[in-house]
Amino acid sequence: MTDHTTPDPRNRPVNPYAVPQDRQPGPSNPYAAPQPQYQPQQAPAAPAASTASRVANTTVAALQEVHATRPGLISTVLLWIGAVCGVLAFLGTFTEFGDSVPYALGGLCISAAVTLACAWPLSRRHIDRKALTAWEEDVRRNRELSALLTEEDAAIAAGLAPAPRPTPVPRHWKVVGAATVLLGIVGGALVGAGQDEYDKANPPTYGSSTTR
């Protein structure tokens, strides 16, 4: 016959890992050991937002560097003046072939040297300016797109980093400088060789007085 009597709770085995009632924290026991409190951790920053911010900061720094290193206005104006004067002198020299061919050829060489020395850097700067303008437009467009991205577009934001700034085209100053000096030397020699012939064809005019 089975015994259905309820077991006495006092006969249960003691749990060695149980916390005694007198050690439980609470208002009735202020001396109880405090239990560790759960400290919520701050969620990590969104990768897309940080990438977009990095892209924007890099873009601003790159554009500031470009504007800080642009050629000066004064040098550009002086180069334009020299190039225009060289072209006008080159065209005007053709009228002197009737007076002296060597003198006219010398004038062409000298005016070509002046035009080359001024027009060459202007043409290089024009190419650089076009490349920089296209690069600035690309950087601004990437900056605007990065501001519209969310956390799910972290891969796209990482690909919007600004491209390297285009480097200036080669100037070849040694070749251009040597050509300019050579044209100047040849032009000066030809002008000197044809100076007498040119002076004979164009004698100086002085004020004449009429006698009665």
Side-chain angles (χ1 to χ4, degrees):
M1 184 174 180
T2 306
D3 186 8
H4 296 284
T5 60
T6 304
D8 189 357
R10 293 175 296 178
N11 296 330
R12 293 180 181 178
V14 179
N15 185 4
Y17 301 101
V19 180
Q21 294 294 329
D22 58 349
R23 299 293 295 176
Q24 295 288 342
S28 61
N29 188 6
Y31 301 101
Q35 298 296 324
Q37 299 291 332
Y38 172 74
Q39 298 293 338
Q41 298 182 356
Q42 186 177 3
S50 60
T51 306
S53 177
R54 178 175 57 83
V55 170
N57 295 336
T58 307
T59 301
V60 173
L63 294 178
Q64 290 177 350
E65 180 184 359
V66 169
H67 289 290
T69 56
R70 285 187 182 276
L73 178 61
I74 297 178
S75 63
T76 303
V77 172
L78 292 177
L79 288 175
W80 270 108
I81 293 175
V84 171
C85 292
V87 171
L88 294 178
F90 186 87
L91 297 176
T93 307
F94 285 97
T95 61
E96 299 173 354
F97 275 95
D99 301 332
S100 174
V101 174
Y103 188 90
L105 291 176
L108 289 178
C109 291
I110 294 176
S111 58
V114 175
T115 304
L116 178 62
C118 297
W120 176 257
L122 288 176
S123 65
R124 301 295 95 182
R125 289 183 181 184
H126 177 69
I127 297 175
D128 292 341
R129 185 164 56 252
K130 289 181 62 177
L132 281 176
T133 301
W135 177 76
E136 288 177 356
E137 292 296 331
D138 184 64
V139 168
R140 289 192 180 96
R141 182 169 56 253
N142 290 345
R143 181 184 179 186
E144 294 175 357
L145 292 177
S146 63
L148 302 176
L149 298 179
T150 60
E151 299 178 3
E152 299 177 355
D153 304 320
I156 300 177
L160 292 178
R165 176 185 175 183
T167 56
V169 295
R171 288 338 194 223
H172 303 293
W173 289 121
K174 292 183 179 180
V175 177
V176 176
T180 302
V181 172
L182 181 61
L183 286 173
I185 293 175
V186 173
L190 289 174
V191 168
Q195 185 70 49
D196 294 338
E197 184 180 0
Y198 179 81
D199 291 341
K200 291 179 180 179
N202 297 275
T205 57
Y206 300 100
S208 57
S209 58
T210 57
T211 57
R212 295 181 180 179

